Amino acid sequence: MSLLELQSVTKTFTGNSLAVENVSLQVTQGELLALTGESGCGKTTLLRIIAGLEQPDGGSVYLDNQLVAGNGHFIHPQHRQVGLVFQDYALFPHMTVAKNIIFGLGSWSRTERHSRLMEMLKLVELKGFEDRYPHQLSGGQQQRVAIARALAPKPKLLLLDEPFSNLDTLLKDQVRREVSAILRLSGTTAILVTHDIQDAMSMADRIAILRNGRLLQVGVPNQLYDHPMDSYIASFFGKVNLIPVTSDGGRVNSEIGSLDLNEIGDKTGILCLRPQHITIVKDNESATLSEIIGVTYLGNCQQLELKTGGCQLWCIQPLNVKYSPGQEVNLRFDLGGAHVIWDQH
Ligand code: ATP
């Protein structure tokens, strides 16, 4: 069942081109959807429209089968039962953890408030921290208080806007796991806005990619990674070799050779081959000769820049063999891991 439904949502700011254009999207109950795309693509605007902090110019927003924006209707944010977690956590600095968490429970009885506070402290594993002030907590702990405060009033939907961008790399990984666990344990339906594809890949059930205000593709992480609908999305998920290919009825030809891809019909397209799908092999049977033009040490592996025919390629190799620029190597392509985006005619 879909908890949130956007139908052709559009928003233009004065003096600006379309910030959000004709976006239709459904989020199911209990799902964690990541909304991602490069800076300025409209992520925050869409999140603010869902929260009721912006009004769309066109289209409709349904929350739990109720029209909350569109067709002349507009339900204000405080009546939508939507929780918000911001990038800077926005905790009240002069209030203790406990006061922060129960802030939105003004209409609840004292006993109910106390019991919900205990539930939330247990959920976010901050029992014993209730009398501390925000400045006495780590970044990750502050993040958990912000989530507890947003979840305390039992929102139908939780919106998280770049919640990890203030955390350093090591802490980020841990906080992602903690936040995922909290959302799963509490069965919360959530939308996570992030520009970091690693947040989206590691946490989301589905990822929605926006570009210039338009929704390009929505899918489960490995579906988008393995079968991107265009080369922009392929590149958004990290380094990829994009190799022009032509099919002439049976064989697929490219600058890296003739490829056994079993494609029928005359067409052109782009082969997406991830660096990990290129291997350097010793024997040269059915391998492709290539020259190394650059080597970058990445800590746990090395990235090679290669030249094959007129094509520049990237590949990832373990560190046990030393490679140098100018060296010739034989490549094997794992076409099982490749994906071709055929041109639409
Ligand atoms: P970022 O990742 O950098 O935060 P974003 O994907 O969240 O970007 P938005 O903040 O939604 O992007 O902005 C989308 C577009 O709308 C941008 O071109 C931005 O300049 C514009 N925009 C956003 N808010 C306003 C506003 N209040 N007034 C005018 N233009 C705005």
Side-chain angles (χ1 to χ4, degrees), residues 84-286:
L84 278 162
V85 177
F86 298 102
Q87 180 174 357
D88 58 0
Y89 320 136
L91 295 176
F92 303 115
H94 57 287
M95 286 187 192
T96 60
V97 166
K99 289 239 165 81
N100 265 283
I101 293 177
I102 61 166
F103 180 77
L105 309 184
S107 61
W108 296 35
S109 75
R110 206 184 150 82
T111 329
E112 284 170 336
R113 276 207 303 268
H114 181 72
S115 132
R116 188 65 178 153
L117 170 64
M118 291 300 128
E119 268 174 45
M120 289 295 103
L121 287 170
K122 182 162 180 256
L123 178 70
V124 299
E125 296 184 6
L126 282 176
K127 271 201 166 157
F129 289 76
E130 47 270 49
D131 295 327
R132 290 212 196 170
Y133 286 86
H135 73 270
Q136 296 170 315
L137 301 174
S138 72
Q141 288 164 339
Q142 289 182 37
Q143 180 62 272
R144 271 141 61 198
V145 176
I147 290 175
R149 184 180 62 182
L151 288 180
K154 304 190 177 175
K156 290 176 177 164
L157 177 67
L158 185 69
L159 305 176
L160 304 117
D161 193 0
E162 299 279 3
F164 311 117
S165 50
N166 283 342
L167 304 172
D168 64 48
T169 318
L170 273 181
L171 190 58
K172 204 174 187 182
D173 195 40
Q174 179 195 334
V175 177
R176 273 186 197 136
R177 276 184 275 121
E178 287 169 357
V179 171
S180 286
I182 292 167
L183 297 178
R184 308 265 173 227
L185 260 175
S186 55
T188 305
T189 312
I191 299 181
L192 166 74
V193 158
T194 177
H195 66 277
D196 182 344
I197 196 64
Q198 295 306 327
D199 292 346
M201 292 278 272
S202 60
M203 292 182 66
D205 295 310
R206 284 188 308 149
I207 301 176
I209 300 188
L210 283 175
R211 188 183 193 191
N212 297 332
R214 289 198 214 123
L215 190 57
L216 292 185
Q217 194 174 2
V218 188
V220 297
N222 67 338
Q223 181 195 351
L224 294 198
Y225 185 83
D226 293 335
H227 300 283
M229 63 169 259
D230 63 21
S231 48
Y232 174 81
I233 296 178
S235 307
F236 194 73
F237 279 84
K239 252 198 170 51
V240 62
N241 297 296
L242 299 170
I243 304 154
V245 291
T246 327
S247 159
D248 60 2
R251 293 292 309 165
V252 173
N253 301 306
S254 76
E255 294 230 32
I256 59 168
S258 178
L259 308 168
D260 197 6
L261 275 168
N262 222 357
E263 199 54 48
I264 301 171
D266 292 351
K267 41 192 174 174
T268 54
I270 300 281
L271 173 78
C272 302
L273 193 63
R274 297 279 169 195
Q276 64 270 31
H277 294 134
I278 300 180
T279 318
I280 294 181
V281 288
K282 281 222 167 65
D283 63 288
N284 59 9
E285 211 181 299
S286 74

Side-chain angles (χ1 to χ4, degrees), residues 13-14 16 19 38-46 54 162 195:
F13 292 106
T14 332
N16 232 307
E38 61 194 23
S39 180
C41 70
K43 304 179 292 288
T44 300
T45 305
L46 198 56
E54 296 285 357
E162 299 279 3
H195 66 277

Side-chain angles (χ1 to χ4, degrees), residues 8-14 16-23 42 45-46 48-49 53-59 212-213:
S8 307
V9 169
T10 295
K11 175 79 188 174
T12 314
F13 292 106
T14 332
N16 232 307
S17 53
L18 286 166
V20 172
E21 185 178 354
N22 208 17
V23 170
T45 305
L46 198 56
R48 289 173 59 83
I49 289 172
L53 300 168
E54 296 285 357
Q55 290 212 30
D57 307 326
N212 297 332

